Structure formats: C-alpha cells, structure tokens
Amino acid sequence: MKITHLPLSPATRQQGAMQSYYRWHAVVYDATRWTFLFGRNAILQKMVALNPGTVLEVGCGTGRNLKRLAGLMPDVQLVGVDVSSDMLKRATRASRRFSRRVLLFERAYKPDAQAWPVQPDAILFSYALTMFNPGAEEALDRALSDLPADGMVAVVDFHDTPFPFFRWWMGKNHVRMEGHLAPMLEKRFVTREKVIVRAWFGLWRYILYIGVKRNPDLMST
Ligand SMILES: C[S@@+](CC[C@H](N)C(=O)[O-])C[C@H]1O[C@@H](n2cnc3c(N)ncnc32)[C@H](O)[C@@H]1O
C-alpha cells in the first residue's frame, strides 16, 4: 500500500518550526535573550500605566514578562499562550508564585484557536510577531476579535536592519526583520504610541507600539 503524506499547511509548518527551535533554545533563553531583546521592560511599564484588568500575552515564552506584570500589578489577571511546550514548562515555574492569577495555554495563536476563559483588555506581543512567518496578519486579526471595543495592543519587537547579512541571519533564526509590523498594526489599530529605537549602534532597530482597537461604530465607511 502506498502511503501519501498530505502537504503541511504553512501555519502548521511555522508551529512545528517553533516547537523544534525552542526545544533547545528554551534551556538558554533567559540567560541569553536579555542581551538583545531590548525594550521589554519599557513596554511593560507602558502597560502598567494604562492599568488593564486582564492581559493576554501571545508567545509568552518562559513567562518572563508575565512574572513581571504580576509583580507590578497586584490585581491583574494574566493569560499566557505559547505553541512551545518547552517554553511553557519554564513559564509555569516562573509564574508559580502568582499561579492564582496566571493561566497558561499550550496553543498556537490563530483565528480558529479556542476562546480564552476571560476576555483580555490588553494583548501583549513581545518579540513574538516577527516569528509568525507566516501568520502575523492572522494573529493580529485574532487579537482584534479577542479584544473589546476599546481594547489595547502592546508590541515590542524587531523592526528592521540596514544590513542584508544580518537580515539573512535573523531569518535563519525564524525572525523576519523587514519593518513589516508597523503597517500591519496601523491598519488595524489607532496608534497611541510608536517609537522606533536603534540597537547595537544601528545594527538593527526595534519597535515599541501601543494601539487601541478601532471602534467600528466610529469608523468612516
Ligand atoms: C522570542 S520568544 C518571546 C518570548 C517572550 N514573549 C519574551 O518576550 O521573552 C517567541 C515566542 O513566541 C512563540 N510562538 C511563535 N509562534 C507562535 C504561535 N503561532 N502561537 C503561539 N506562540 C508562538 C514561541 O514558541 C516563543 O516562545
């Protein structure tokens, strides 16, 4: 009997690539990423100032941001979702102290993913969206449907680089660095704050973005 394998969809391939990549990178993630994932504390501070009641972090990884948010906002309810079980194991450990306020889900974030037990007032994407290749547009569409009318999105991520070799190297590490996130965000959200910052003497730039869901009642046709 001939077994025919159906081709995997691009979204399924992306999820498989993340699970394999983070199987090993999860081990060294927290010890290494502080050297180049800049702006994470800054975006958390901006979120704290806006004081959301419930925050969903998409691609929460090892739980580094969830743990900090739980410490900074004593009443906030947090939900973390990630496709990598290896990263989530670490997130479970990191957030143990706050386990009553932190719910974690092993799931790909996509339009047809199951609903969350609580509706988020704010959604955080911290160095996750540039790894959704493909899937960033779909993830932002899902964010729109998860948020209430005045819900907030907060993003910190790589923006771009003037160096083709570096862009290629980041691509090898599943990161797309082509300045593509800003227009995707601006298409869907009303921009409250957008800052582009140089890192490592201009080797790359990263983006900090806060946006509010467009209220369909107020949108012109
Ligand atoms: C660079 S890490 C960022 C982790 C954390 N947000 C931080 O700031 O340290 C990217 C995370 O996004 C997750 N991820 C990538 N694609 C995903 C998808 N389709 N659905 C859910 N999580 C995804 C990865 O598994 C990984 O844990």
Side-chain angles (χ1 to χ4, degrees):
M1 188 176 69
K2 189 174 172 231
I3 298 175
T4 312
H5 293 283
L6 293 172
L8 295 176
S9 73
T12 307
R13 277 206 299 275
Q14 187 270 345
Q15 291 151 30
M18 291 295 102
Q19 286 155 349
S20 321
Y21 184 75
Y22 282 111
R23 192 155 301 138
W24 307 114
H25 281 265
V27 179
V28 293
Y29 188 89
D30 287 324
T32 54
R33 274 12 183 223
W34 64 271
T35 58
F36 58 94
L37 299 189
F38 302 131
R40 289 184 294 173
N41 289 346
I43 203 81
L44 298 186
Q45 287 298 346
K46 289 179 195 298
M47 293 187 85
V48 170
L50 295 164
N51 197 24
T54 305
V55 175
L56 167 66
E57 184 180 3
V58 176
C60 63
T62 57
R64 181 252 187 219
N65 296 326
L66 293 173
K67 181 179 167 188
R68 282 183 189 226
L69 282 175
L72 290 166
M73 292 194 284
D75 297 320
V76 76
Q77 171 71 53
L78 296 160
V79 181
V81 54
D82 203 288
V83 75
S84 158
S85 59
D86 297 281
M87 294 293 261
L88 274 182
K89 268 184 216 142
R90 289 178 152 72
T92 307
R93 281 207 292 273
S95 59
R96 188 167 291 148
R97 208 175 116 212
F98 304 105
S99 59
R100 279 192 312 117
R101 289 193 287 132
V102 182
L103 299 171
L104 297 172
F105 294 90
E106 184 184 332
R107 214 176 270 179
Y109 191 69
K110 54 185 181 148
D112 60 353
Q114 270 176 279
W116 315 108
V118 282
Q119 184 177 33
D121 307 315
I123 299 185
L124 169 65
F125 291 92
S126 166
Y127 286 97
L129 275 176
T130 49
M131 300 191 90
F132 281 57
N133 299 312
E137 299 266 14
E138 291 78 1
L140 289 173
D141 286 341
R142 173 63 197 251
L144 278 178
S145 72
D146 277 339
L147 287 169
D150 53 352
M152 171 183 42
V153 70
V155 178
V156 58
D157 214 321
F158 296 109
H159 181 61
D160 63 4
T161 173
F163 299 100
F165 176 79
F166 190 62
R167 193 176 312 120
W168 172 84
W169 169 248
M170 292 304 281
K172 286 278 161 208
N173 286 277
H174 307 282
V175 174
R176 183 176 167 208
M177 224 191 226
E178 295 172 15
H180 59 295
L181 293 185
M184 285 183 192
L185 289 161
E186 284 162 343
K187 193 168 96 188
R188 293 172 173 83
F189 297 92
V190 180
T191 302
R192 287 277 178 265
E193 193 171 345
K194 182 179 99 175
V195 189
I196 312 269
V197 189
R198 273 159 53 94
W200 281 107
F201 308 102
L203 181 57
W204 73 87
R205 297 190 299 169
Y206 62 91
I207 181 169
L208 294 158
Y209 181 91
I210 301 276
V212 175
K213 180 170 162 174
R214 287 175 194 277
N215 184 338
D217 299 335
L218 301 178
M219 277 169 73
S220 55
T221 50

